[in-house]
Amino acid sequence: MFSVAAHGHVNPSLEVVRELVARGHRVTYAIPPAFADLVAGTGAQPRPYRSTLPGEDDDPAAWGTELIDHVEPFLEDARQALPQLAAAYEGDVPDLVLSDITSYPARVLAHRWGVPHIQLSPNLVAWEGYEEEVGAALTAELMSTPRGRAYRERFAAWLAENGMPMGPDDFAGRPDRSLVLIPRLLQPHADRVDESVYTFVGACQGDRSHQGRWQRPPGAEGDRVLLISLGSAFTREPGFYRECLRAFGGMEGWHVVLQIGKHVRAQELGPLPANVEVHSWVPQLAVLKEADAFVTHAGAGGSQEGMATGTPMIAVPQAVDQFGNAEMLVSLGVARHVPKEEATARALREALQSLVGDPEVAGRCAKAQAAVAAEGGTRQAADLIEEALRGHLAGAAGMAETRASRGS
């Protein structure tokens, strides 16, 4: 398994890896050192490598504001990481390669080694027509500047140097095989996704007890619970947190759990209302199992955890795929969308009241929760990986037998 040092890209794979280890497979996991202990907890063997990508402790502004700022770092990281990873696996070629969508070296190495490559996608995947409807505009944006054109040229050259018979768009967006680790309900145009390539296995959550537990504090046993979290990356939003305190602080019958990340201190928010607890990090799934509502940035992980627990959501997207996820959640009837620039205390409070006071929302949340539970999750993902592994090993054994018979 290959990934980058970001919770949104590592966490979705952990239970799949844990299940493969439990089934007796030796799994190595190439990951920057900051996540090595987390990976080791699954029973996999970390293979640390140096990454040049901004880390989750860095200022989110390091990712820039334009499309080129978001895509260029992954290519540059891949170019410097590939030699490291090739050396790390010298003499220990795996039988099958798994990778997150951001790990470009994984697909190159699988091709070099002649072994199957399966992408584990933690978010939406391409559908038939995606290139014309979405990709063409993104490519045009990149090609409109010298920096963007230079990036595309470097990408194509890197692929050619490594014997990859495809261009940047197909390499980054069209895997040979992909297991999609989000509910099918979150996928736009799911009816147009090629099921011979992509299989939706849904949320692979497993046992999160190692992350800790959460309980209502004394005096809040009968209160409803509201979780507020913008995930682990785009969390430098003290103004938004203050609006949340104005919206929900002191609200009768509600206890509020506010996660503010690593870039904001609780002291910056001013006096805390008695019904609010503030943390830099919380065991999100444990809180959601107790929660009655969820204010979320609508990242893929948070969105599917909200669906899996049947929790109505207020989506306040911050970046990248979160805007599309917010639209999908609203279309399913399980969320309200409050744009970041409109997230005033009044708007947030009105959104919460409309959610928890609507029996149709509760019914839709229950329906989505049942659909997520029926998708198979971790066991189905492991079954499909083993199926591909058996096919590859049988094919390799057959080829070896053929060569031996010809030699005799």
Side-chain angles (χ1 to χ4, degrees):
M1 177 68 196
F2 295 74
S3 191
V4 297
H7 281 286
H9 293 271
V10 174
N11 288 348
S13 71
L14 292 178
E15 294 308 319
V16 178
V17 168
R18 194 189 311 276
E19 177 69 14
L20 292 169
V21 171
R23 295 185 184 194
H25 300 284
R26 182 171 70 92
V27 183
T28 58
Y29 200 127
I31 191 72
F35 279 68
D37 288 345
L38 183 63
V39 163
T42 67
Q45 303 167 10
R47 292 285 171 91
Y49 71 94
R50 181 179 60 84
S51 174
T52 58
L53 291 172
E56 292 191 343
D57 289 338
D58 295 326
D59 190 331
W63 285 103
T65 58
E66 300 179 16
L67 175 61
I68 184 64
D69 299 325
H70 299 324
V71 298
E72 192 174 51
F74 290 103
L75 174 61
E76 300 314 309
D77 187 54
R79 284 156 56 98
Q80 65 85 36
L82 179 61
Q84 295 182 61
L85 294 168
Y89 282 91
E90 187 173 357
D92 189 23
V93 173
D95 297 302
L96 184 143
V97 168
L98 303 172
S99 77
D100 178 70
I101 58 174
T102 56
S103 186
Y104 295 165
R107 192 172 187 182
V108 171
L109 289 171
H111 179 77
R112 182 182 299 179
W113 294 330
V115 301
H117 169 244
I118 299 178
Q119 180 191 83
L120 302 183
S121 178
N123 51 22
L124 65 86
V125 296
W127 56 87
E128 296 307 314
Y130 175 87
E131 285 78 5
E132 296 79 10
E133 297 165 19
V134 179
L138 299 177
T139 300
E141 181 180 341
L142 285 175
M143 296 299 285
S144 68
T145 67
R147 181 182 168 195
R149 291 191 292 273
Y151 158 77
R152 295 275 296 185
E153 290 172 4
R154 287 197 309 278
F155 205 153
W158 182 71
L159 293 174
E161 289 166 9
N162 286 286
M164 299 301 295
M166 62 193 72
D169 293 334
D170 284 343
F171 177 83
R174 290 288 181 178
D176 297 320
R177 185 76 173 94
S178 177
L179 303 183
V180 191
L181 308 183
I182 64 170
R184 187 180 179 88
L185 288 175
L186 267 182
Q187 170 66 41
H189 307 296
D191 59 327
R192 291 158 57 190
V193 171
D194 183 353
E195 295 186 4
S196 69
V197 173
Y198 302 99
T199 301
F200 289 87
V201 299
C204 299
Q205 293 173 343
D207 179 14
R208 299 274 186 90
S209 60
H210 63 282
Q211 294 183 348
R213 302 186 183 278
W214 181 86
Q215 291 182 326
R216 287 176 172 83
E221 290 86 351
D223 290 346
R224 290 176 169 177
V225 173
L226 171 65
L227 172 63
I228 304 169
S229 171
L230 297 181
S232 58
F234 299 93
T235 60
R236 192 185 290 275
E237 296 292 340
F240 170 74
Y241 301 139
R242 293 188 197 105
E243 288 297 322
C244 288
L245 293 180
R246 283 192 281 270
F248 310 121
M251 190 163 60
E252 187 176 353
W254 283 87
H255 180 76
V256 180
V257 181
L258 174 59
Q259 176 179 292
I260 59 176
K262 300 177 180 179
H263 305 294
V264 176
R265 295 177 303 158
Q267 295 89 327
E268 298 177 55
L269 306 182
L272 296 179
N275 70 324
V276 177
E277 58 179 280
V278 176
H279 306 277
S280 60
W281 181 89
V282 298
Q284 181 164 285
L285 190 59
V287 180
L288 282 174
K289 289 177 178 179
E290 301 287 332
D292 298 277
F294 181 23
V295 178
T296 173
H297 64 310
S303 296
Q304 69 178 2
E305 288 179 0
M307 292 170 66
T309 55
T311 310
M313 290 170 269
I314 299 173
V316 188
Q318 306 290 304
V320 291
D321 64 323
Q322 297 159 18
F323 299 97
N325 292 338
E327 290 180 8
M328 294 299 292
L329 293 172
V330 170
S331 72
L332 294 170
V334 302
R336 301 285 188 264
H337 178 195
V338 179
K340 177 181 175 181
E341 61 276 11
E342 300 175 17
T344 63
R346 179 177 178 177
L348 291 166
R349 188 158 183 156
E350 288 178 350
L352 179 65
Q353 291 169 338
S354 71
L355 277 174
V356 299
D358 188 343
E360 291 190 5
V361 171
R364 294 186 190 114
C365 285
K367 184 177 180 181
Q369 183 179 23
V372 171
E375 284 189 301
T378 302
R379 286 188 175 277
Q380 186 189 8
D383 288 346
L384 292 169
I385 291 166
E386 286 189 323
E387 181 181 313
L389 181 60
R390 285 193 299 269
H392 170 66
L393 295 177
M399 291 176 63
E401 185 176 337
T402 299
R403 286 194 296 268
S405 63
R406 286 175 178 172
S408 64

